[in-house]
Amino acid sequence: MAADASHGGGTGFPLVLLVEDTASLRLTYSAVLKAAGFEVEAAETGAEAIEKLRRCRPVLAVMDLMLPDRDGLDLLQTFQQIAPDTPLVVVTAHGSIDRAVSAMRAGAHEFLVKPVDRARLIEAVTHALKARSCVPAATLGGQRDTLPPFIGASPSMQETYRLIRSVARSMATVFITGESGTGKELCAEAVHRLSTRREKPFIALNCGAIPGDLLESEVFGHLKGSFTGAISDKQGAAAAADGGTLFLDEICEMDLNLQTKLLRFLQTSTITPVGATRARKLDVRIVCATNRDPEDEVRHGRFREDLFYRLHVVPIHMPPLRDRGEDVVELAQTLLERMAAEEGSTLNRIAPAVLDLFRALPWPGNVRQLINVLRNAVVLNEGPVLTPDMLPKRLQEQSASEACAAPSPPPAGNATAPEDPFRGWTLARIERMAIEAAIRRNDGSVPQAARELGVSPSTLYRKRQQWGECG
């Protein structure tokens, strides 16, 4: 009998367990699900839901987080213990989105905010069932030391791999944080490749590289003639990612007005291109990233709090290279071999002294800086072994300066304290040195240096123009 119930009691329709204590909503959700081809088993309380879960073996459960006899998060954990392969879609009131976020982190597939749109309910249920049936087990085992295309098996990266595998099956938005050069886009691509959307487009958009007045058009598209310069219709990144994944890099650079429109898109799954009067329905999963502290951006009013909670469902932090231990050795050797093959070079091994140096360096530019160093060495030198003298001069100088930077013992007795290194310098000179150093650390990127220094890129461009360094 239970076996039949899992398929709709012999009707052939998949059975959904609906847990909702409000009678009117229970009837509404049941009608929507039945109209979409599902059979529904409804429960009013947590206790009744557990009994029906054991007896009916549904293919999926839709569950309100506010129940009269039991906390929804506690019930979610019980569901996972009884039927770990049954996906869960949770429903919450607008003021309890933080609880829905906690449910997503605990393993729920998707959350819906009341009042629930009928189309969104069916969309969430459909995606949850697809994730249950279509993801190959081999991609979810989590037993490998690495996750392509990443290199390295340090403990910090193992945790990253675990989170990627865990979240890939769901519809949850992923919020990736980490310093510049740590591989945030690679992380987003890995989430996409392990998801049920892997055959659909992965579209990446850097919000920090596009002028604010053009960003809305880049995300949502525009119609011909909608503004000066719109000489033809343009498909935005969201529409291009339909069915797949939209990766919004440097999300904290997005203008507050556009943040409002992005929030509406997340809530309704519809977009309205610039100049259009009709909205278009899309099926897109959002993954975003930033090298800033998003919570600090919220506190300072630069990022909408409601959008933050909508996006920050499953956070993944990409560790800096200096915290990845021996990963830097594996990365360096693997990347050097690849670059040597690409350039037709014989420089494909690394001297022990260079590996010791690589272990000791702080790598402020992370993996991107390591790639830059190795590419420079391969292009300018012959092999077969990479030695310290082949490294870029700035790296050798950095190594030498750090070797000399060990703190000196405090002066004994009445000895004179060390002289102030900035004595006799003007403020303008100190400012210029700080700006130039930040630009060098960011491989010549003025926008990245500006973010590090907490100023706008236009400020740095203006100052460099005053110094006569750019025309």
Side-chain angles (χ1 to χ4, degrees):
M1 186 72 175
D4 287 338
S6 66
H7 297 286
T11 66
F13 298 127
L15 177 65
V16 173
L17 175 59
L18 173 63
V19 188
E20 170 60 65
D21 64 315
T22 304
S24 59
L25 293 178
R26 197 165 58 248
L27 290 172
T28 300
Y29 299 160
S30 294
V32 171
L33 290 167
K34 289 176 180 178
F38 297 97
E39 184 168 354
V40 179
E41 188 73 35
E44 300 181 38
T45 66
E48 185 182 2
I50 292 172
E51 184 274 324
K52 291 192 174 182
L53 178 68
R54 295 182 186 277
R55 175 171 56 83
C56 299
R57 292 192 299 165
V59 296
L60 178 137
V62 177
M63 180 176 68
D64 193 338
L65 287 178
M66 300 297 290
L67 296 171
D69 66 329
R70 190 162 183 175
D71 178 74
L73 294 177
D74 178 55
L75 181 61
L76 185 149
Q77 293 178 346
T78 302
F79 267 45
Q80 291 181 321
Q81 292 169 359
I82 297 172
D85 294 329
T86 301
L88 296 169
V89 174
V90 298
V91 181
T92 186
H94 182 76
S96 303
I97 292 179
D98 56 336
R99 287 176 54 78
V101 170
S102 298
M104 295 291 288
R105 293 174 180 171
H109 183 274
E110 174 67 293
F111 76 88
L112 303 172
V113 179
K114 293 180 178 179
V116 177
D117 178 77
R118 297 186 176 204
R120 283 285 293 121
L121 174 60
I122 298 305
E123 179 183 56
V125 169
T126 302
H127 279 301
L129 289 176
K130 183 179 178 183
R132 180 193 188 198
S133 60
C134 295
V135 178
T139 66
L140 303 172
Q143 300 301 315
R144 295 167 292 178
D145 292 331
T146 59
L147 183 68
F150 292 109
I151 301 168
S154 61
S156 58
M157 288 303 292
Q158 288 296 314
E159 174 62 14
T160 299
Y161 303 152
R162 184 192 68 78
L163 285 171
I164 291 173
R165 292 188 180 106
S166 176
V167 73
R169 290 178 293 174
S170 79
M171 271 290 290
T173 53
V174 179
F175 204 121
I176 307 168
T177 56
E179 298 174 7
S180 293
T182 51
K184 296 187 288 295
E185 185 166 345
L186 287 180
C187 178
E189 290 177 357
V191 170
H192 174 73
R193 282 201 307 274
L194 291 184
S195 75
T196 58
R197 298 171 172 263
R198 58 190 174 277
E199 302 300 328
K200 298 294 184 178
F202 173 85
I203 304 297
L205 190 68
N206 189 328
C207 300
I210 301 171
D213 56 345
L214 296 179
L215 188 55
E216 180 179 357
S217 170
E218 291 295 325
V219 176
F220 299 122
H222 66 250
L223 299 187
K224 178 180 178 180
S226 55
F227 56 85
T228 303
I231 59 176
S232 62
D233 291 353
K234 176 181 175 60
Q235 182 186 52
D242 194 15
T245 302
L246 175 61
F247 173 52
L248 296 175
D249 199 6
E250 303 302 345
I251 186 72
C252 288
E253 300 293 329
M254 185 175 284
D255 177 82
L256 284 169
N257 290 329
L258 187 53
Q259 289 179 29
T260 303
K261 296 179 180 180
L262 178 60
L263 178 62
R264 189 180 306 122
F265 170 48
L266 290 169
Q267 292 172 335
T268 65
S269 297
T270 61
I271 63 166
T272 304
V274 178
T277 57
R278 298 180 60 183
R280 176 185 172 186
K281 190 82 170 178
L282 295 179
D283 171 21
V284 177
R285 183 186 190 173
I286 300 292
V287 177
C288 59
T290 183
N291 59 9
R292 299 187 184 185
D293 178 349
E295 295 184 71
D296 187 60
E297 295 297 299
V298 171
R299 282 193 294 270
H300 286 85
R302 294 187 291 264
F303 201 79
R304 289 181 60 110
E305 185 175 19
D306 47 5
L307 179 60
F308 169 77
Y309 285 118
R310 187 75 194 195
L311 291 172
H312 202 261
V313 176
V314 180
I316 298 179
H317 182 71
M318 296 300 298
L321 186 54
R322 61 182 172 274
D323 292 344
R324 293 178 55 180
E326 286 297 298
D327 279 1
V328 68
V329 172
E330 184 182 354
L331 274 161
Q333 186 59 58
T334 303
L335 293 171
L336 183 66
E337 291 172 0
R338 290 180 185 174
M339 292 176 188
E342 292 169 2
E343 300 289 343
S345 171
T346 57
L347 189 65
N348 57 14
R349 288 185 289 130
I350 305 176
V354 174
L355 293 179
D356 288 341
L357 173 61
F358 284 179
R359 292 185 181 98
L361 286 171
W363 298 108
N366 295 293
V367 180
R368 185 180 295 134
Q369 182 186 5
L370 176 62
I371 292 172
N372 179 279
V373 167
L374 294 173
R375 181 70 71 179
N376 177 282
V378 169
V379 170
L380 298 180
N381 298 278
E382 294 295 329
V385 180
L386 177 64
T387 56
D389 61 293
M390 297 178 182
L391 298 174
K393 183 174 294 185
R394 67 180 183 277
L395 199 70
Q396 298 181 47
E397 292 172 350
Q398 180 184 356
S399 173
S401 65
E402 291 185 0
C404 297
S408 303
N414 294 323
T416 303
E419 184 179 354
D420 182 353
F422 298 114
R423 183 177 179 180
W425 290 26
T426 64
L427 178 61
R429 183 182 178 190
I430 295 172
E431 179 187 58
R432 177 170 178 172
M433 289 197 66
I435 290 173
E436 290 176 337
I439 293 172
R440 286 196 300 272
R441 282 195 299 274
N442 288 277
D443 298 324
S445 171
V446 173
Q448 293 282 9
R451 281 192 282 273
E452 179 183 317
L453 295 171
V455 298
S456 68
S458 61
T459 299
L460 300 194
Y461 284 122
R462 185 174 63 254
K463 288 185 177 295
R464 296 184 79 199
Q465 190 169 25
Q466 292 169 355
W467 303 332
E469 292 191 16
C470 51

